[in-house]
Amino acid sequence: MYDLIVKKVLPNGTKADNRFEFHERERQFKIVGVGVIPKGKRKMMYIGDSRLTDNYQYRCLDMEQRSKVEFKAYVEAVGIDTLNDALSEAWERIKPKPISSEEYDIDFDVSQFV
């Protein structure tokens, strides 16, 4: 599992930290958490903290329904477009870079090593 944090600023001035993990078994990124700093504030509020999970109705749900409730809270906090942009940026960060011959100085004779 890999943990990536993508910082975004929403049009209304709110700062959002989107946290993703890459699950190798499922071969996809998953949203793990979203933190929000409203404009004019300093303290980060994490979506899905105790205000969401201390609810009895939330605790009665199974795991699939809980993940849907959490995702809905993320979308309400930052919007689906921001989440998609952050997901694309996370993918761009881990995308492999092409190998260049200048970086590894490949112009010498390697026949003595083979």
Side-chain angles (χ1 to χ4, degrees):
M1 252 186 281
Y2 305 104
D3 195 19
L4 292 167
I5 297 175
V6 178
K7 298 178 183 283
K8 291 285 185 184
V9 178
L10 304 178
N12 62 0
T14 301
K15 297 175 186 172
D17 285 356
N18 304 299
R19 203 172 75 194
F20 300 99
E21 284 184 354
F22 182 75
H23 291 264
E24 292 180 14
R25 182 174 291 167
E26 299 168 8
R27 296 179 186 239
Q28 66 179 356
F29 277 107
K30 294 218 173 177
I31 301 171
V32 178
V34 174
V36 177
I37 302 174
K39 185 176 180 178
K41 302 288 183 178
R42 293 185 182 180
K43 188 174 181 181
M44 173 128 358
M45 297 183 309
Y46 291 96
I47 310 301
D49 62 355
S50 61
R51 285 174 276 174
L52 178 66
T53 58
D54 282 349
N55 188 346
Y56 182 73
Q57 293 174 342
Y58 175 82
R59 291 184 180 188
C60 290
L61 301 174
D62 62 355
M63 292 304 289
E64 184 177 326
Q65 292 174 333
R66 284 184 186 189
S67 66
K68 288 180 181 179
V69 168
E70 289 173 3
F71 182 73
K72 184 178 178 185
Y74 299 153
V75 170
E76 288 175 355
V78 296
I80 194 80
D81 293 332
T82 304
L83 288 174
N84 282 329
D85 288 343
L87 188 60
S88 297
E89 187 176 326
W91 168 247
E92 288 295 324
R93 284 187 189 177
I94 68 156
K95 198 162 96 173
K97 310 284 185 289
I99 299 171
S100 65
S101 62
E102 294 85 27
E103 183 178 344
Y104 292 101
D105 192 26
I106 302 178
D107 295 332
F108 65 91
D109 183 26
V110 293
S111 61
Q112 62 184 348
F113 300 111
V114 181

